[in-house]
PDB file of all heavy atoms in Angstrom:
ATOM      1  N   LEU A   9       0.825  -1.139   0.025  1.00  0.00           N
ATOM      2  CA  LEU A   9       0.046  -0.019   0.002  1.00  0.00           C
ATOM      3  C   LEU A   9       0.791   1.298   0.013  1.00  0.00           C
ATOM      4  O   LEU A   9       1.778   1.338   0.838  1.00  0.00           O
ATOM      5  CB  LEU A   9      -0.899   0.022   1.229  1.00  0.00           C
ATOM      6  CG  LEU A   9      -1.983  -1.150   1.215  1.00  0.00           C
ATOM      7  CD1 LEU A   9      -2.566  -1.175   2.645  1.00  0.00           C
ATOM      8  CD2 LEU A   9      -2.984  -1.013   0.164  1.00  0.00           C
ATOM      9  N   VAL A  10       0.674   2.173  -0.960  1.00  0.00           N
ATOM     10  CA  VAL A  10       1.376   3.322  -1.024  1.00  0.00           C
ATOM     11  C   VAL A  10       0.268   4.478  -0.665  1.00  0.00           C
ATOM     12  O   VAL A  10      -0.613   4.679  -1.424  1.00  0.00           O
ATOM     13  CB  VAL A  10       1.964   3.688  -2.410  1.00  0.00           C
ATOM     14  CG1 VAL A  10       2.648   4.940  -2.484  1.00  0.00           C
ATOM     15  CG2 VAL A  10       2.834   2.460  -2.863  1.00  0.00           C
ATOM     16  N   THR A  11       0.557   5.216   0.371  1.00  0.00           N
ATOM     17  CA  THR A  11      -0.581   6.040   0.946  1.00  0.00           C
ATOM     18  C   THR A  11       0.011   7.464   1.052  1.00  0.00           C
ATOM     19  O   THR A  11       1.195   7.750   1.131  1.00  0.00           O
ATOM     20  CB  THR A  11      -1.116   5.495   2.180  1.00  0.00           C
ATOM     21  OG1 THR A  11      -0.224   5.950   3.360  1.00  0.00           O
ATOM     22  CG2 THR A  11      -1.313   4.054   2.277  1.00  0.00           C
ATOM     23  N   GLY A  12      -1.035   8.446   1.269  1.00  0.00           N
ATOM     24  CA  GLY A  12      -0.624   9.781   1.527  1.00  0.00           C
ATOM     25  C   GLY A  12      -1.697  10.693   1.033  1.00  0.00           C
ATOM     26  O   GLY A  12      -2.650  10.197   0.330  1.00  0.00           O
ATOM     27  N   PRO A  13      -1.714  11.928   1.423  1.00  0.00           N
ATOM     28  CA  PRO A  13      -2.774  12.943   0.928  1.00  0.00           C
ATOM     29  C   PRO A  13      -2.650  13.235  -0.487  1.00  0.00           C
ATOM     30  O   PRO A  13      -1.582  12.842  -1.183  1.00  0.00           O
ATOM     31  CB  PRO A  13      -2.539  14.031   1.822  1.00  0.00           C
ATOM     32  CG  PRO A  13      -1.140  14.060   2.200  1.00  0.00           C
ATOM     33  CD  PRO A  13      -0.779  12.651   2.420  1.00  0.00           C
ATOM     34  N   THR A  14      -3.646  13.829  -1.069  1.00  0.00           N
ATOM     35  CA  THR A  14      -3.526  14.299  -2.459  1.00  0.00           C
ATOM     36  C   THR A  14      -2.408  15.179  -2.669  1.00  0.00           C
ATOM     37  O   THR A  14      -1.966  16.049  -1.882  1.00  0.00           O
ATOM     38  CB  THR A  14      -4.902  15.003  -2.837  1.00  0.00           C
ATOM     39  OG1 THR A  14      -5.954  14.194  -2.534  1.00  0.00           O
ATOM     40  CG2 THR A  14      -4.904  15.508  -4.337  1.00  0.00           C
ATOM     41  N   GLY A  15      -1.644  14.914  -3.792  1.00  0.00           N
ATOM     42  CA  GLY A  15      -0.516  15.758  -4.091  1.00  0.00           C
ATOM     43  C   GLY A  15       0.692  15.326  -3.358  1.00  0.00           C
ATOM     44  O   GLY A  15       1.730  16.104  -3.367  1.00  0.00           O
ATOM     45  N   SER A  16       0.834  14.145  -2.814  1.00  0.00           N
ATOM     46  CA  SER A  16       1.924  13.723  -1.915  1.00  0.00           C
ATOM     47  C   SER A  16       2.948  12.942  -2.719  1.00  0.00           C
ATOM     48  O   SER A  16       3.966  12.472  -2.245  1.00  0.00           O
ATOM     49  CB  SER A  16       1.475  12.920  -0.721  1.00  0.00           C
ATOM     50  OG  SER A  16       0.796  11.830  -1.146  1.00  0.00           O
ATOM     51  N   GLY A  17       2.750  12.712  -4.039  1.00  0.00           N
ATOM     52  CA  GLY A  17       3.737  11.919  -4.901  1.00  0.00           C
ATOM     53  C   GLY A  17       3.448  10.504  -4.932  1.00  0.00           C
ATOM     54  O   GLY A  17       4.250   9.700  -5.328  1.00  0.00           O
ATOM     55  N   LYS A  18       2.255   9.966  -4.489  1.00  0.00           N
ATOM     56  CA  LYS A  18       2.091   8.553  -4.513  1.00  0.00           C
ATOM     57  C   LYS A  18       2.170   7.965  -5.923  1.00  0.00           C
ATOM     58  O   LYS A  18       2.802   6.941  -6.147  1.00  0.00           O
ATOM     59  CB  LYS A  18       0.613   8.287  -3.979  1.00  0.00           C
ATOM     60  CG  LYS A  18       0.389   8.682  -2.548  1.00  0.00           C
ATOM     61  CD  LYS A  18      -1.014   8.224  -2.095  1.00  0.00           C
ATOM     62  CE  LYS A  18      -2.130   8.762  -2.897  1.00  0.00           C
ATOM     63  NZ  LYS A  18      -2.342  10.283  -2.746  1.00  0.00           N
ATOM     64  N   SER A  19       1.585   8.637  -6.926  1.00  0.00           N
ATOM     65  CA  SER A  19       1.629   8.124  -8.284  1.00  0.00           C
ATOM     66  C   SER A  19       3.023   8.129  -8.883  1.00  0.00           C
ATOM     67  O   SER A  19       3.348   7.191  -9.494  1.00  0.00           O
ATOM     68  CB  SER A  19       0.629   8.942  -9.210  1.00  0.00           C
ATOM     69  OG  SER A  19      -0.681   8.963  -8.790  1.00  0.00           O
ATOM     70  N   THR A  20       3.769   9.102  -8.541  1.00  0.00           N
ATOM     71  CA  THR A  20       5.174   9.217  -8.926  1.00  0.00           C
ATOM     72  C   THR A  20       5.955   8.067  -8.375  1.00  0.00           C
ATOM     73  O   THR A  20       6.799   7.389  -9.059  1.00  0.00           O
ATOM     74  CB  THR A  20       5.764  10.601  -8.605  1.00  0.00           C
ATOM     75  OG1 THR A  20       5.007  11.657  -9.192  1.00  0.00           O
ATOM     76  CG2 THR A  20       7.144  10.730  -9.162  1.00  0.00           C
ATOM     77  N   SER A  21       5.825   7.835  -7.054  1.00  0.00           N
ATOM     78  CA  SER A  21       6.563   6.745  -6.395  1.00  0.00           C
ATOM     79  C   SER A  21       6.185   5.405  -7.031  1.00  0.00           C
ATOM     80  O   SER A  21       6.999   4.452  -7.305  1.00  0.00           O
ATOM     81  CB  SER A  21       6.344   6.750  -4.882  1.00  0.00           C
ATOM     82  OG  SER A  21       6.926   7.847  -4.404  1.00  0.00           O
ATOM     83  N   MET A  22       4.809   5.174  -7.185  1.00  0.00           N
ATOM     84  CA  MET A  22       4.415   3.942  -7.714  1.00  0.00           C
ATOM     85  C   MET A  22       4.885   3.734  -9.107  1.00  0.00           C
ATOM     86  O   MET A  22       5.261   2.588  -9.567  1.00  0.00           O
ATOM     87  CB  MET A  22       2.819   3.863  -7.752  1.00  0.00           C
ATOM     88  CG  MET A  22       2.330   3.525  -6.302  1.00  0.00           C
ATOM     89  SD  MET A  22       0.494   3.475  -6.201  1.00  0.00           S
ATOM     90  CE  MET A  22      -0.037   2.640  -7.611  1.00  0.00           C
ATOM     91  N   ALA A  23       4.959   4.768  -9.857  1.00  0.00           N
ATOM     92  CA  ALA A  23       5.442   4.758 -11.262  1.00  0.00           C
ATOM     93  C   ALA A  23       6.847   4.343 -11.311  1.00  0.00           C
ATOM     94  O   ALA A  23       7.332   3.551 -12.116  1.00  0.00           O
ATOM     95  CB  ALA A  23       5.173   6.135 -12.046  1.00  0.00           C
ATOM     96  N   ALA A  24       7.687   4.883 -10.366  1.00  0.00           N
ATOM     97  CA  ALA A  24       9.036   4.511 -10.285  1.00  0.00           C
ATOM     98  C   ALA A  24       9.216   2.999  -9.934  1.00  0.00           C
ATOM     99  O   ALA A  24      10.139   2.274 -10.442  1.00  0.00           O
ATOM    100  CB  ALA A  24       9.776   5.302  -9.207  1.00  0.00           C
ATOM    101  N   MET A  25       8.284   2.400  -9.107  1.00  0.00           N
ATOM    102  CA  MET A  25       8.381   1.022  -8.710  1.00  0.00           C
ATOM    103  C   MET A  25       8.075   0.261  -9.929  1.00  0.00           C
ATOM    104  O   MET A  25       8.738  -0.857 -10.209  1.00  0.00           O
ATOM    105  CB  MET A  25       7.473   0.637  -7.537  1.00  0.00           C
ATOM    106  CG  MET A  25       7.878   1.411  -6.262  1.00  0.00           C
ATOM    107  SD  MET A  25       6.594   1.442  -4.909  1.00  0.00           S
ATOM    108  CE  MET A  25       6.576  -0.314  -4.629  1.00  0.00           C
ATOM    109  N   VAL A  26       7.021   0.565 -10.708  1.00  0.00           N
ATOM    110  CA  VAL A  26       6.675  -0.098 -11.856  1.00  0.00           C
ATOM    111  C   VAL A  26       7.757  -0.118 -12.928  1.00  0.00           C
ATOM    112  O   VAL A  26       8.031  -1.032 -13.615  1.00  0.00           O
ATOM    113  CB  VAL A  26       5.292   0.296 -12.455  1.00  0.00           C
ATOM    114  CG1 VAL A  26       4.967  -0.339 -13.709  1.00  0.00           C
ATOM    115  CG2 VAL A  26       4.185   0.122 -11.403  1.00  0.00           C
ATOM    116  N   ASP A  27       8.381   1.052 -12.939  1.00  0.00           N
ATOM    117  CA  ASP A  27       9.458   1.180 -13.996  1.00  0.00           C
ATOM    118  C   ASP A  27      10.625   0.316 -13.578  1.00  0.00           C
ATOM    119  O   ASP A  27      11.278  -0.280 -14.535  1.00  0.00           O
ATOM    120  CB  ASP A  27       9.942   2.686 -13.915  1.00  0.00           C
ATOM    121  CG  ASP A  27      11.076   2.996 -14.956  1.00  0.00           C
ATOM    122  OD1 ASP A  27      10.801   2.752 -16.136  1.00  0.00           O
ATOM    123  OD2 ASP A  27      12.149   3.284 -14.470  1.00  0.00           O
ATOM    124  N   TYR A  28      10.905   0.193 -12.333  1.00  0.00           N
ATOM    125  CA  TYR A  28      12.040  -0.755 -11.959  1.00  0.00           C
ATOM    126  C   TYR A  28      11.698  -2.157 -12.262  1.00  0.00           C
ATOM    127  O   TYR A  28      12.561  -2.946 -12.674  1.00  0.00           O
ATOM    128  CB  TYR A  28      12.165  -0.636 -10.378  1.00  0.00           C
ATOM    129  CG  TYR A  28      13.100  -1.526  -9.818  1.00  0.00           C
ATOM    130  CD1 TYR A  28      14.513  -1.409 -10.083  1.00  0.00           C
ATOM    131  CD2 TYR A  28      12.717  -2.614  -9.066  1.00  0.00           C
ATOM    132  CE1 TYR A  28      15.396  -2.407  -9.506  1.00  0.00           C
ATOM    133  CE2 TYR A  28      13.607  -3.535  -8.495  1.00  0.00           C
ATOM    134  CZ  TYR A  28      14.963  -3.378  -8.797  1.00  0.00           C
ATOM    135  OH  TYR A  28      15.808  -4.311  -8.150  1.00  0.00           O
ATOM    136  N   MET A  29      10.418  -2.608 -11.974  1.00  0.00           N
ATOM    137  CA  MET A  29      10.096  -3.991 -12.267  1.00  0.00           C
ATOM    138  C   MET A  29      10.017  -4.126 -13.841  1.00  0.00           C
ATOM    139  O   MET A  29      10.462  -5.221 -14.354  1.00  0.00           O
ATOM    140  CB  MET A  29       8.664  -4.303 -11.716  1.00  0.00           C
ATOM    141  CG  MET A  29       8.548  -4.435 -10.289  1.00  0.00           C
ATOM    142  SD  MET A  29       7.030  -4.956  -9.604  1.00  0.00           S
ATOM    143  CE  MET A  29       6.019  -3.426  -9.615  1.00  0.00           C
ATOM    144  N   ASN A  30       9.648  -3.138 -14.573  1.00  0.00           N
ATOM    145  CA  ASN A  30       9.593  -3.251 -15.993  1.00  0.00           C
ATOM    146  C   ASN A  30      11.022  -3.501 -16.606  1.00  0.00           C
ATOM    147  O   ASN A  30      11.208  -4.206 -17.604  1.00  0.00           O
ATOM    148  CB  ASN A  30       8.894  -1.872 -16.632  1.00  0.00           C
ATOM    149  CG  ASN A  30       8.644  -2.049 -18.085  1.00  0.00           C
ATOM    150  OD1 ASN A  30       8.574  -3.066 -18.632  1.00  0.00           O
ATOM    151  ND2 ASN A  30       8.546  -0.928 -18.699  1.00  0.00           N
ATOM    152  N   LYS A  31      11.979  -2.791 -16.049  1.00  0.00           N
ATOM    153  CA  LYS A  31      13.405  -2.944 -16.487  1.00  0.00           C
ATOM    154  C   LYS A  31      14.082  -4.213 -16.075  1.00  0.00           C
ATOM    155  O   LYS A  31      14.974  -4.711 -16.720  1.00  0.00           O
ATOM    156  CB  LYS A  31      14.139  -1.741 -16.034  1.00  0.00           C
ATOM    157  CG  LYS A  31      13.767  -0.326 -16.698  1.00  0.00           C
ATOM    158  CD  LYS A  31      14.562   0.722 -15.942  1.00  0.00           C
ATOM    159  CE  LYS A  31      14.140   2.040 -16.605  1.00  0.00           C
ATOM    160  NZ  LYS A  31      14.819   3.175 -15.847  1.00  0.00           N
ATOM    161  N   GLU A  32      13.665  -4.738 -14.871  1.00  0.00           N
ATOM    162  CA  GLU A  32      14.435  -5.838 -14.283  1.00  0.00           C
ATOM    163  C   GLU A  32      13.717  -7.180 -14.241  1.00  0.00           C
ATOM    164  O   GLU A  32      14.423  -8.171 -14.105  1.00  0.00           O
ATOM    165  CB  GLU A  32      14.755  -5.477 -12.795  1.00  0.00           C
ATOM    166  CG  GLU A  32      15.450  -4.164 -12.664  1.00  0.00           C
ATOM    167  CD  GLU A  32      16.970  -4.235 -13.163  1.00  0.00           C
ATOM    168  OE1 GLU A  32      17.402  -5.387 -13.262  1.00  0.00           O
ATOM    169  OE2 GLU A  32      17.494  -3.226 -13.632  1.00  0.00           O
ATOM    170  N   MET A  33      12.452  -7.242 -14.541  1.00  0.00           N
ATOM    171  CA  MET A  33      11.715  -8.488 -14.129  1.00  0.00           C
ATOM    172  C   MET A  33      10.741  -8.891 -15.311  1.00  0.00           C
ATOM    173  O   MET A  33      10.022  -8.116 -15.774  1.00  0.00           O
ATOM    174  CB  MET A  33      10.878  -8.347 -12.900  1.00  0.00           C
ATOM    175  CG  MET A  33      11.673  -7.914 -11.595  1.00  0.00           C
ATOM    176  SD  MET A  33      10.703  -7.513 -10.272  1.00  0.00           S
ATOM    177  CE  MET A  33      11.925  -6.752  -9.172  1.00  0.00           C
ATOM    178  N   PRO A  34      10.845 -10.147 -15.676  1.00  0.00           N
ATOM    179  CA  PRO A  34       9.894 -10.589 -16.843  1.00  0.00           C
ATOM    180  C   PRO A  34       8.557 -10.939 -16.216  1.00  0.00           C
ATOM    181  O   PRO A  34       8.223 -12.144 -15.959  1.00  0.00           O
ATOM    182  CB  PRO A  34      10.640 -11.897 -17.315  1.00  0.00           C
ATOM    183  CG  PRO A  34      11.443 -12.428 -16.119  1.00  0.00           C
ATOM    184  CD  PRO A  34      11.717 -11.143 -15.307  1.00  0.00           C
ATOM    185  N   ARG A  35       7.750  -9.914 -15.997  1.00  0.00           N
ATOM    186  CA  ARG A  35       6.492 -10.095 -15.245  1.00  0.00           C
ATOM    187  C   ARG A  35       5.287  -9.647 -16.218  1.00  0.00           C
ATOM    188  O   ARG A  35       5.611  -8.754 -17.060  1.00  0.00           O
ATOM    189  CB  ARG A  35       6.456  -9.361 -13.984  1.00  0.00           C
ATOM    190  CG  ARG A  35       7.271 -10.003 -12.974  1.00  0.00           C
ATOM    191  CD  ARG A  35       7.176  -9.141 -11.617  1.00  0.00           C
ATOM    192  NE  ARG A  35       7.835  -9.871 -10.435  1.00  0.00           N
ATOM    193  CZ  ARG A  35       7.924  -9.325  -9.267  1.00  0.00           C
ATOM    194  NH1 ARG A  35       7.383  -8.087  -8.993  1.00  0.00           N
ATOM    195  NH2 ARG A  35       8.431  -9.936  -8.284  1.00  0.00           N
ATOM    196  N   HIS A  36       4.079  -9.918 -15.897  1.00  0.00           N
ATOM    197  CA  HIS A  36       2.927  -9.359 -16.580  1.00  0.00           C
ATOM    198  C   HIS A  36       2.302  -8.507 -15.583  1.00  0.00           C
ATOM    199  O   HIS A  36       1.848  -8.845 -14.452  1.00  0.00           O
ATOM    200  CB  HIS A  36       1.893 -10.471 -17.027  1.00  0.00           C
ATOM    201  CG  HIS A  36       0.747  -9.981 -17.739  1.00  0.00           C
ATOM    202  ND1 HIS A  36      -0.530 -10.627 -17.661  1.00  0.00           N
ATOM    203  CD2 HIS A  36       0.516  -8.708 -18.289  1.00  0.00           C
ATOM    204  CE1 HIS A  36      -1.358  -9.911 -18.299  1.00  0.00           C
ATOM    205  NE2 HIS A  36      -0.743  -8.695 -18.711  1.00  0.00           N
ATOM    206  N   ILE A  37       2.271  -7.118 -15.875  1.00  0.00           N
ATOM    207  CA  ILE A  37       1.818  -6.120 -14.950  1.00  0.00           C
ATOM    208  C   ILE A  37       0.528  -5.506 -15.565  1.00  0.00           C
ATOM    209  O   ILE A  37       0.513  -5.055 -16.767  1.00  0.00           O
ATOM    210  CB  ILE A  37       2.871  -4.988 -14.682  1.00  0.00           C
ATOM    211  CG1 ILE A  37       4.120  -5.651 -14.143  1.00  0.00           C
ATOM    212  CG2 ILE A  37       2.349  -3.953 -13.740  1.00  0.00           C
ATOM    213  CD1 ILE A  37       5.280  -4.679 -14.031  1.00  0.00           C
ATOM    214  N   ILE A  38      -0.544  -5.543 -14.774  1.00  0.00           N
ATOM    215  CA  ILE A  38      -1.730  -4.969 -15.233  1.00  0.00           C
ATOM    216  C   ILE A  38      -2.100  -3.754 -14.289  1.00  0.00           C
ATOM    217  O   ILE A  38      -2.069  -3.838 -13.064  1.00  0.00           O
ATOM    218  CB  ILE A  38      -2.955  -5.927 -15.122  1.00  0.00           C
ATOM    219  CG1 ILE A  38      -2.796  -7.098 -16.106  1.00  0.00           C
ATOM    220  CG2 ILE A  38      -4.304  -5.163 -15.369  1.00  0.00           C
ATOM    221  CD1 ILE A  38      -3.865  -8.136 -15.918  1.00  0.00           C
ATOM    222  N   THR A  39      -2.366  -2.559 -14.866  1.00  0.00           N
ATOM    223  CA  THR A  39      -2.643  -1.354 -14.070  1.00  0.00           C
ATOM    224  C   THR A  39      -4.110  -1.003 -14.350  1.00  0.00           C
ATOM    225  O   THR A  39      -4.593  -1.048 -15.440  1.00  0.00           O
ATOM    226  CB  THR A  39      -1.797  -0.113 -14.431  1.00  0.00           C
ATOM    227  OG1 THR A  39      -2.198   0.452 -15.628  1.00  0.00           O
ATOM    228  CG2 THR A  39      -0.316  -0.518 -14.527  1.00  0.00           C
ATOM    229  N   ILE A  40      -4.789  -0.678 -13.187  1.00  0.00           N
ATOM    230  CA  ILE A  40      -6.164  -0.215 -13.251  1.00  0.00           C
ATOM    231  C   ILE A  40      -6.236   1.094 -12.573  1.00  0.00           C
ATOM    232  O   ILE A  40      -6.038   1.281 -11.413  1.00  0.00           O
ATOM    233  CB  ILE A  40      -7.092  -1.285 -12.410  1.00  0.00           C
ATOM    234  CG1 ILE A  40      -6.830  -2.658 -12.948  1.00  0.00           C
ATOM    235  CG2 ILE A  40      -8.530  -0.740 -12.569  1.00  0.00           C
ATOM    236  CD1 ILE A  40      -7.419  -3.785 -12.055  1.00  0.00           C
ATOM    237  N   GLU A  41      -6.626   2.081 -13.397  1.00  0.00           N
ATOM    238  CA  GLU A  41      -6.477   3.489 -12.921  1.00  0.00           C
ATOM    239  C   GLU A  41      -7.673   4.356 -13.402  1.00  0.00           C
ATOM    240  O   GLU A  41      -8.298   4.026 -14.369  1.00  0.00           O
ATOM    241  CB  GLU A  41      -5.208   4.133 -13.422  1.00  0.00           C
ATOM    242  CG  GLU A  41      -3.852   3.372 -13.075  1.00  0.00           C
ATOM    243  CD  GLU A  41      -2.708   3.976 -13.722  1.00  0.00           C
ATOM    244  OE1 GLU A  41      -2.245   4.974 -13.278  1.00  0.00           O
ATOM    245  OE2 GLU A  41      -2.198   3.403 -14.705  1.00  0.00           O
ATOM    246  N   ASP A  42      -7.835   5.503 -12.702  1.00  0.00           N
ATOM    247  CA  ASP A  42      -8.893   6.416 -13.085  1.00  0.00           C
ATOM    248  C   ASP A  42      -8.500   7.870 -12.860  1.00  0.00           C
ATOM    249  O   ASP A  42      -8.620   8.400 -11.754  1.00  0.00           O
ATOM    250  CB  ASP A  42     -10.153   6.118 -12.217  1.00  0.00           C
ATOM    251  CG  ASP A  42     -11.322   7.018 -12.500  1.00  0.00           C
ATOM    252  OD1 ASP A  42     -11.369   7.628 -13.627  1.00  0.00           O
ATOM    253  OD2 ASP A  42     -12.226   7.109 -11.655  1.00  0.00           O
ATOM    254  N   PRO A  43      -7.944   8.536 -13.937  1.00  0.00           N
ATOM    255  CA  PRO A  43      -7.529   7.995 -15.197  1.00  0.00           C
ATOM    256  C   PRO A  43      -6.037   7.410 -15.179  1.00  0.00           C
ATOM    257  O   PRO A  43      -5.412   7.473 -14.175  1.00  0.00           O
ATOM    258  CB  PRO A  43      -7.645   9.247 -16.084  1.00  0.00           C
ATOM    259  CG  PRO A  43      -7.213  10.330 -15.148  1.00  0.00           C
ATOM    260  CD  PRO A  43      -7.739   9.960 -13.811  1.00  0.00           C
ATOM    261  N   ILE A  44      -5.762   6.894 -16.339  1.00  0.00           N
ATOM    262  CA  ILE A  44      -4.316   6.444 -16.493  1.00  0.00           C
ATOM    263  C   ILE A  44      -3.488   7.755 -16.384  1.00  0.00           C
ATOM    264  O   ILE A  44      -3.717   8.771 -16.956  1.00  0.00           O
ATOM    265  CB  ILE A  44      -4.095   5.787 -17.822  1.00  0.00           C
ATOM    266  CG1 ILE A  44      -4.906   4.517 -17.866  1.00  0.00           C
ATOM    267  CG2 ILE A  44      -2.593   5.557 -18.133  1.00  0.00           C
ATOM    268  CD1 ILE A  44      -4.897   3.885 -19.187  1.00  0.00           C
ATOM    269  N   GLU A  45      -2.355   7.582 -15.691  1.00  0.00           N
ATOM    270  CA  GLU A  45      -1.473   8.720 -15.420  1.00  0.00           C
ATOM    271  C   GLU A  45      -0.110   8.477 -16.090  1.00  0.00           C
ATOM    272  O   GLU A  45       0.007   8.882 -17.329  1.00  0.00           O
ATOM    273  CB  GLU A  45      -1.238   8.962 -13.924  1.00  0.00           C
ATOM    274  CG  GLU A  45      -2.461   9.367 -13.208  1.00  0.00           C
ATOM    275  CD  GLU A  45      -2.341   9.837 -11.828  1.00  0.00           C
ATOM    276  OE1 GLU A  45      -1.839   9.032 -11.052  1.00  0.00           O
ATOM    277  OE2 GLU A  45      -2.662  11.018 -11.491  1.00  0.00           O
ATOM    278  N   PHE A  46       0.816   7.770 -15.586  1.00  0.00           N
ATOM    279  CA  PHE A  46       1.975   7.362 -16.137  1.00  0.00           C
ATOM    280  C   PHE A  46       1.878   6.217 -17.095  1.00  0.00           C
ATOM    281  O   PHE A  46       1.313   5.300 -16.715  1.00  0.00           O
ATOM    282  CB  PHE A  46       3.134   7.158 -15.099  1.00  0.00           C
ATOM    283  CG  PHE A  46       3.531   8.322 -14.282  1.00  0.00           C
ATOM    284  CD1 PHE A  46       2.850   8.556 -13.088  1.00  0.00           C
ATOM    285  CD2 PHE A  46       4.549   9.094 -14.656  1.00  0.00           C
ATOM    286  CE1 PHE A  46       3.285   9.666 -12.299  1.00  0.00           C
ATOM    287  CE2 PHE A  46       4.895  10.216 -13.905  1.00  0.00           C
ATOM    288  CZ  PHE A  46       4.289  10.517 -12.728  1.00  0.00           C
TER     289      PHE A  46
END
């Protein structure tokens, strides 16, 4: 769980984590967002 108030950088931190997995791990990642950000 990545938590914090609005504008606390949650989406940016999660995007960095997904980016790390994307570069390093052969995984299938599904994102469900409203709306899609990164």
Side-chain angles (χ1 to χ4, degrees):
L9 295 171
V10 182
T11 79
T14 301
S16 60
K18 299 186 297 295
S19 297
T20 302
S21 294
M22 283 180 38
M25 294 168 70
V26 172
D27 180 66
Y28 174 72
M29 290 187 281
N30 190 21
K31 292 174 179 174
E32 302 292 334
M33 305 172 192
R35 292 178 169 180
H36 181 203
I37 302 172
I38 297 175
T39 78
I40 306 167
E41 302 172 79
D42 181 19
I44 294 169
E45 295 189 300
F46 292 90

